[in-house]
Amino acid sequence: ASMLDPGPPPTRIQLHPAAPEKAAKKLNKQVIVALPQAERDIDSDGIALLFNGREIRYLSGVRWTTTVPMMVQRDLIDALIISEGLRGVADEAAGISSNAKILCDIKQFSLRYESETAPPTAWFVATFRIVDQNNGRVLDSKAIDITVPAFSTETAALVQACETALS
């Protein structure tokens, strides 16, 4: 029976990125946020650890509450709502009529280790595009590459670094 025992369930971690400032001007626009695209190693609820620039492992016994793309989508929607800069913001499933769609490609969301013993650096790399829903034209795009060093190898420090990078 012990061979079949999966052990204790993993601890689930929520991130709470910092709230954005209120928008200086409110636009009379509605926007939908598409589910971000990501490679399989990132499209997971596992907390990715990157060693030697190539080797992906996952933090043992700890998971995000949802997959990384769903987490990024939810946090982006929440940030846009909190900023009060748009008339409406929702995900694609909401079925709202929108002026634009935000597309995101997540290239990296991991804890990058330079050595096995030193604290890692949270690393978030993504490309965002705003596409006009009427004609498919890209209205704007932004590529981000953010690194935030963790102050220790403890889980709380790793989560804090990821939260700051996502903010």
Side-chain angles (χ1 to χ4, degrees), residues 47-51 55-60 110-111 113 158:
I47 299 174
L49 311 175
L50 181 64
F51 293 90
E55 182 184 342
I56 299 281
R57 301 179 201 167
Y58 295 94
L59 195 57
S60 179
S110 62
L111 290 153
Y113 283 82
L158 303 179

Side-chain angles (χ1 to χ4, degrees), residues 83-158:
S83 75
E84 298 178 353
L86 297 164
R87 183 167 36 97
V89 180
D91 63 26
E92 290 177 297
I96 68 168
S97 174
S98 67
N99 303 95
K101 181 189 284 191
I102 297 176
L103 304 174
C104 174
D105 293 311
I106 303 169
K107 309 287 188 218
Q108 195 63 249
F109 188 58
S110 62
L111 290 153
R112 182 173 54 186
Y113 283 82
E114 297 300 324
S115 79
E116 300 256 349
T117 56
T121 300
W123 190 22
F124 182 56
V125 180
T127 303
F128 295 89
R129 291 179 310 286
I130 302 174
V131 177
D132 185 306
Q133 287 285 80
N134 295 321
N135 59 23
R137 197 180 88 214
V138 175
L139 301 172
D140 201 358
S141 65
K142 181 168 181 93
I144 61 170
D145 186 334
I146 298 169
T147 57
V148 177
F151 59 86
S152 81
T153 57
E154 297 296 317
T155 300
L158 303 179

Side-chain angles (χ1 to χ4, degrees), residues 8-22:
T11 300
R12 295 288 181 170
I13 302 289
Q14 284 185 341
L15 293 183
H16 299 287
E21 295 180 17
K22 300 285 184 206

